[in-house]
Amino acid sequence: MQTLTVEITNDSALKVLQDLQERHLINILAKTNLNSPVFPGEPLTTDEFKELILNRENGSSISLKEANDKWAKKKKHLLKPTR
C-alpha cells in the first residue's frame, strides 16, 4: 500500500478517482495531516520526529554488511516450514 497526496484541479479528474474507488482499486481519504511524517502505527508530531532523528544520529549503528548478515539469518529462520 502506498499513500499519495493529490491536488485535484477539475471535476472530471475527481470523477475518475471516484470510479476507481467504487471498483475498490483505491481508497480516498477524507482528511490528511501534512505536518506528520508517515510511519506505520500512530502518527508522530513534528517534535517527536525531530527527537527520533536526534536519538538515531547519536545512537549506535551497524555496518551495512552486518545488517545484511542479520537479515539473511532472520529470513532463513522465517522461511523454515513450521510443523
Side-chain angles (χ1 to χ4, degrees):
M1 177 180 70
Q2 295 181 356
T3 302
L4 304 173
T5 301
V6 179
E7 181 179 355
I8 312 288
T9 57
N10 65 39
D11 289 337
S12 61
L14 179 60
K15 178 64 176 137
V16 170
L17 290 175
Q18 289 170 335
D19 290 343
L20 290 172
Q21 181 174 351
E22 288 174 6
R23 290 188 278 163
H24 304 286
L25 297 173
I26 66 169
N27 185 21
I28 297 174
L29 305 175
K31 182 181 178 184
T32 60
N33 181 358
L34 299 178
N35 289 329
S36 178
V38 178
F39 282 110
E42 293 295 317
L44 297 174
T45 65
T46 303
D47 291 335
E48 290 170 333
F49 180 70
K50 288 178 184 177
E51 184 67 27
L52 174 72
I53 297 302
L54 287 173
N55 288 340
R56 291 310 314 143
E57 287 177 348
N58 297 328
S60 64
S61 62
I62 61 172
S63 70
L64 181 58
K65 180 173 178 0
E66 186 179 352
N68 283 335
D69 290 344
K70 283 185 175 184
W71 168 242
K73 288 178 187 175
K74 185 66 173 176
K75 181 180 176 183
K76 187 177 180 180
H77 174 74
L78 292 172
L79 292 175
K80 282 184 183 177
T82 56
R83 294 178 193 232

